[in-house]
Amino acid sequence: MKRPNRLPFCERILYGADYNPDQWLDDETVLLEDVALMRKINATSASIGIFSWTALEPSPGIYTFDWLDTTMDRFAKAGLKVFLATPTASKPMWLSELHPEIRRVGRDGRREPSGGRHNHCPTSPVYREAAQRINRELALRYGRHPSLALWHVGNEFNGECHCERCKGAFHDWLRRRYGSLGDLNRVWWTSFWNHTFTDWSQVPTFDQSIDGLTLDWLRFVNDQHVSFIENEMAPLRDLAPQVPCTTNFMGTNHTTNYWQWSRTLDCISNDIYPLHDDREDSWRKSLGSDFTHSLVRGFAGGNPWIMMECSPSSVNWGKVNKLKRPGVHLQEVLQAVANGADVVHYFQWRKGRGGFEKFHGAVIDHEGGSDSRVFKECAEVGRVLQTLSPVVGLSPSRAPVALVYDWEARWALEASAGPKRGTYGDRYTEACVEHFRALRSSGVEVDLVSTDADFSAYRMVVTPALYLLTDDTARRLAEFAAAGGAWVATYLTGYVDGNNRCWRGGFPGPCLREVFGLWNEEVDYLLDDERVRIQGSVFGAAGCTEATDIVERLHSEGAQTLATVASEFYAGSPIVLQNNWGLGKTVYVGARLAEEGYIGFYEHLAAKLGLPRLVLPRGVIRKTRIGADGPVDFLFNYTRHEAAIDLGEATFHRVSSGAACSGKTTLLPYDSLLSGALLPSNLRHTQNPTRSTQNELQPS
Ligand code: GAL
């Protein structure tokens, strides 16, 4: 889908929160205060009604829209916009009682109770029909309301259901995909452990020992959610076609292949909760957020997107829920804007008095007024965002390097017994985040793309742990290299095909031994405290680094060795290799390297390939949004320490104080600076900002 550069409802950066007036219907004063307080922080908008189905329809076909009418009108009068939610992320108790089949069934065959949320059966025709009915009512009543800006469809779609109906739908899905049971048995390799199916009815929804099944089940679950949301959007699009639809993503959530979702939604939204902990290495977490924002930017095709949820202070569900240190909140918000967010919304506007989230951060605390530290910070953020209107609709600059993030590779890897589990989250995402972080730390800009991307737009494509690799993707990547690009692949590349069956003829498959000029004979998985020494000039002055977790035993078959293993019984084997392929290059990194090793490696590669690079102190990042009026630079110190840099001729402004900075400058802990085009203190916007060049900023 070709997305417009501008979110149609954004004349300025929108600022607001999830708002739950339905929790306060017995206290009109609170509701009136809310709007006044929203204006006080320069809020523009709110997401309303996310879990409000029973408040809208207390019994079948009986609607109580009065409170929502009042809210919508109140918002219109105050000049506030509404992202109106369809309330389907949580089922009404009466509907669960009438139709127990809308409740999910777990792997153990047990039907879940109606409580919690995000737990409807995505296949149930009853639930699909009920969702359409309430959505139709909402579209009929509010589709032309002046405050309505966006449909917020459901909430964080997630999870899976193993009921008989889902099982039947899975069988139909498999029939469409494979045609015959014979073909299914073949691609799932079911003669292993006597798993051959002789009737469709025998195919389960879960069997860990059939890794092809696990992969297809995840594909099916994802498709089922996508078809559910398409079913939800049909009446909205029919009755209010001028209002775009979105749903809030969760970054790299396991069961949702958001590349696919992005094709069906009108605009892209994401929720993010970085859990900043103010530790020595918290800058790594901030780069992790940059990874997520870059991924979301990729979903949006490089165009502006919506940060639908983040916390204005702590959350309540972490192991430890720390308050954000001074500067962190503002920086996190600006970081999203720098990466293309044209909307900043919080979860949540006001803390509810009860329920699971009564201690979750909110703009308004239980005290109820505007005197709290968090409220004041939110007001400050609102003031700063108001000054940023010139960036609205501008795209973040296109990077010279693309990094592929692929749910299919992740699912296949997780479904396979053998490859070691990740230390945080899943092994696949861990590899992608580490390579992204190293590239950014070496000063190289990175876009995140899917396996379907047009690689020719990039100078270098990095595909960490692309464990599942189809013929088609392998061919397109090899063609990219042959045409003059550089393709960097890593350990765990090309082990299995699209059905999670190992490629024959030696890894990396399919047929990539020739492209990379090497053979990956076997893999050594290390104990947590084990390290393998690696040496090579590609690691800069140190000339060495360490490997953890995974070391492949590689043999060169024509590729040039850039680094070798220096300990263990396989000392001397090549571990980083480079091959000439057509007009370009392929590079293979056969081990999980220490961070400094990766950074040295990417510095080396960037120099060799002549990639543009901006060298800044560790944890200091610049991000640029480019548009018709020229570039706008954001400069962040993600560390808790001061950092010295030389801004050269460029003029930046410290966002917290508006003070102008140029030349040798000390960045404060968690500092955020904006380039001279935007002056936060006096809202001035120059029409022709000077373009920062690659070498203007230097560590001093
Ligand atoms: C999100 C969810 C919100 C709220 C928030 C708390 O995942 O969409 O409704 O629960 O988490 O951090």
Side-chain angles (χ1 to χ4, degrees):
M1 176 186 289
K2 174 95 185 79
R3 282 175 208 292
N5 286 348
R6 209 167 247 278
L7 296 169
F9 40 84
C10 277
E11 299 95 40
R12 47 166 293 191
I13 298 211
L14 295 191
Y15 183 46
D18 275 19
Y19 177 42
N20 303 306
D22 45 309
Q23 292 179 17
W24 297 92
L25 294 180
D26 56 359
D27 197 340
E28 179 76 3
T29 49
V30 166
L31 298 176
L32 289 171
E33 270 166 27
D34 278 334
V35 173
L37 289 167
M38 282 181 197
R39 298 176 79 154
K40 225 168 159 174
I41 65 157
N42 277 312
T44 54
S45 41
S47 302
I48 300 180
I50 298 173
F51 303 108
S52 66
W53 196 335
T54 309
L56 295 170
E57 190 184 3
S59 52
I62 308 296
Y63 298 104
T64 45
F65 287 123
D66 45 329
W67 66 270
L68 189 52
D69 292 350
T70 309
T71 312
M72 298 287 289
D73 293 348
R74 198 173 276 155
F75 266 55
K77 207 158 146 219
L80 296 166
K81 295 181 200 282
V82 175
F83 297 174
L84 187 54
T86 67
T88 49
S90 160
K91 318 176 291 301
M93 292 291 179
W94 56 258
L95 193 58
S96 293
E97 206 171 60
L98 271 176
H99 301 285
E101 77 264 32
I102 69 171
R103 289 157 37 200
R104 270 185 200 169
V105 170
R107 279 178 187 165
D108 57 1
R110 294 238 295 268
R111 205 171 278 286
E112 293 177 1
S114 194
R117 60 174 176 173
H118 303 151
N119 55 6
H120 61 264
C121 164
T123 306
S124 159
V126 169
Y127 200 62
R128 285 181 173 227
E129 210 182 294
Q132 281 213 343
R133 221 178 314 121
I134 186 72
N135 291 3
R136 197 172 301 116
E137 292 297 330
L138 288 169
L140 280 171
R141 197 167 185 97
Y142 303 110
R144 309 251 154 222
H145 196 283
S147 66
L148 178 64
L150 178 70
W151 294 113
H152 179 303
V153 184
N155 192 69
E156 295 189 342
F157 283 80
N158 195 9
E160 55 189 44
C161 171
H162 295 262
C163 73
E164 283 304 310
R165 231 181 261 281
C166 283
K167 189 172 173 184
F170 182 43
H171 293 167
D172 292 343
W173 185 95
L174 290 169
R175 269 194 205 96
R176 283 196 300 276
R177 191 175 175 94
Y178 298 114
S180 73
L181 205 52
D183 281 348
L184 180 79
N185 279 315
R186 193 172 47 77
V187 296
W188 282 2
W189 208 256
T190 51
S191 42
F192 172 76
W193 282 358
N194 189 29
H195 284 144
T196 304
F197 299 109
T198 52
D199 193 279
W200 284 99
S201 63
Q202 299 156 3
V203 178
T205 57
F206 177 70
D207 184 338
Q208 223 176 348
S209 63
I210 310 178
D211 48 357
L213 182 157
T214 310
L215 174 59
D216 274 336
W217 171 252
L218 285 163
R219 286 178 174 137
F220 161 77
V221 167
N222 178 63
D223 283 0
Q224 211 62 356
H225 282 304
V226 170
S227 98
F228 187 92
I229 198 173
E230 282 172 343
N231 168 80
E232 270 214 54
M233 292 190 295
L236 308 176
R237 286 180 162 161
D238 192 24
L239 296 166
Q242 78 291 1
V243 182
C245 292
T246 193
T247 189
N248 43 346
F249 293 171
M250 293 178 280
T252 56
N253 180 54
H254 181 226
T255 52
T256 38
N257 179 349
Y258 289 135
W259 295 115
Q260 189 179 330
W261 290 66
S262 301
R263 289 198 282 273
T264 204
L265 297 171
D266 301 318
C267 22
I268 303 304
S269 315
N270 192 54
D271 299 347
I272 187 164
Y273 294 93
L275 301 191
H276 196 284
D277 54 13
D278 190 41
R279 302 300 287 262
E280 196 52 40
D281 68 345
S282 53
W283 60 273
R284 286 201 181 86
K285 279 203 171 162
S286 301
L287 278 177
S289 298
D290 273 336
F291 173 87
T292 305
H293 293 324
S294 303
L295 185 61
V296 178
R297 192 171 76 235
F299 300 148
N303 294 311
W305 49 275
I306 299 166
M307 180 158 76
M308 192 64 99
E309 289 182 22
C310 63
S311 176
S313 61
S314 53
V315 297
N316 70 322
W317 44 259
K319 213 157 136 204
V320 176
N321 301 305
K322 279 181 85 127
L323 295 178
K324 291 184 189 172
R325 269 41 195 172
V328 171
H329 175 202
L330 178 64
Q331 183 174 85
E332 286 179 352
V333 166
L334 291 176
Q335 190 185 354
V337 174
N339 276 286
D342 274 359
V343 176
V344 173
H345 267 203
Y346 299 121
F347 178 85
Q348 52 187 336
W349 170 250
R350 183 185 278 276
K351 288 184 181 174
R353 293 192 62 193
F356 184 75
E357 290 177 330
K358 65 177 185 284
F359 294 124
H360 191 290
V363 181
I364 309 288
D365 212 321
H366 295 294
E367 184 271 340
S370 56
D371 287 334
S372 67
R373 184 186 63 82
V374 172
F375 187 92
K376 286 178 193 153
E377 266 194 27
C378 291
E380 173 62 7
V381 170
R383 188 186 71 77
V384 170
L385 289 182
Q386 243 196 347
T387 71
L388 289 178
S389 301
V391 305
V392 169
L394 308 194
S395 302
S397 55
R398 175 149 229 176
V401 174
L403 186 144
V404 170
Y405 187 83
D406 182 40
W407 265 271
E408 299 242 318
R410 172 179 174 182
W411 290 339
L413 183 57
E414 283 177 29
S416 305
K420 236 182 130 187
R421 303 242 152 245
T423 42
Y424 55 92
D426 61 293
R427 163 75 60 214
Y428 175 74
T429 304
E430 174 182 82
C432 291
V433 172
E434 284 179 354
H435 281 263
F436 175 89
R437 224 170 27 213
L439 279 156
R440 294 300 284 125
S441 296
S442 65
V444 175
E445 290 263 9
V446 190
D447 284 345
L448 264 80
V449 301
S450 70
T451 50
D452 302 330
D454 173 9
F455 302 127
S456 69
Y458 296 94
R459 307 260 310 273
M460 179 164 104
V461 175
V462 182
T463 58
L466 203 52
Y467 172 79
L468 177 155
L469 195 45
T470 61
D471 275 316
D472 180 57
T473 305
R475 182 186 45 75
R476 288 190 312 105
L477 283 161
E479 280 170 8
F480 159 76
W487 174 15
V488 180
T490 76
Y491 60 89
L492 292 176
T493 290
Y495 282 35
V496 300
D497 69 4
N499 291 107
N500 217 355
R501 291 175 307 186
C502 290
W503 283 111
R504 298 179 67 198
F507 299 157
C511 308
L512 290 180
R513 277 173 76 165
E514 200 190 340
V515 175
F516 284 93
L518 60 87
W519 172 36
N520 169 14
E521 186 190 357
E522 55 185 346
V523 195
D524 195 14
Y525 295 107
L526 308 181
L527 299 173
D528 286 352
D529 58 353
E530 270 182 320
R531 300 287 177 268
V532 166
R533 278 190 291 119
I534 307 288
Q535 66 191 28
S537 57
V538 282
F539 306 119
C544 63
T545 187
E546 285 179 341
T548 57
D549 286 336
I550 295 181
V551 185
E552 291 176 340
R553 283 201 57 233
L554 307 176
H555 303 277
S556 171
E557 293 179 335
Q560 179 196 349
T561 297
L562 301 181
T564 47
V565 176
S567 59
E568 272 308 330
F569 74 94
Y570 42 87
S573 21
I575 201 68
V576 181
L577 298 100
Q578 172 185 303
N579 199 30
N580 293 327
W581 188 248
L583 300 174
K585 284 190 188 334
T586 58
V587 184
Y588 194 93
V589 184
R592 183 181 179 207
L593 301 182
E595 184 171 65
E596 292 306 321
Y598 280 143
I599 294 173
F601 163 72
Y602 280 118
E603 283 171 352
H604 165 89
L605 215 53
K608 279 267 173 277
L609 298 172
L611 297 176
R613 205 155 77 83
L614 181 66
V615 184
L616 294 171
R618 193 61 47 84
V620 175
I621 286 290
R622 186 186 77 178
K623 188 81 203 154
T624 305
R625 283 183 75 163
I626 306 255
D629 284 355
V632 175
D633 292 320
F634 295 72
L635 187 64
F636 300 115
N637 177 10
Y638 288 159
T639 74
R640 62 178 189 172
H641 301 293
E642 292 183 344
I645 67 165
D646 189 349
L647 297 171
E649 304 272 286
T651 306
F652 276 75
H653 287 81
R654 177 160 285 131
V655 179
S656 54
S657 63
C661 318
S662 58
K664 292 203 161 128
T665 301
T666 302
L667 301 182
L668 305 174
Y670 307 127
D671 218 353
S672 303
L673 273 65
L674 285 170
S675 70
L678 297 164
L679 304 189
S681 55
N682 51 17
L683 316 189
R684 207 178 79 213
H685 167 52
T686 51
Q687 278 310 306
N688 295 307
T690 15
R691 195 189 173 97
S692 296
T693 64
Q694 186 194 324
N695 297 320
E696 258 172 337
L697 306 181
Q698 299 291 344
S700 75

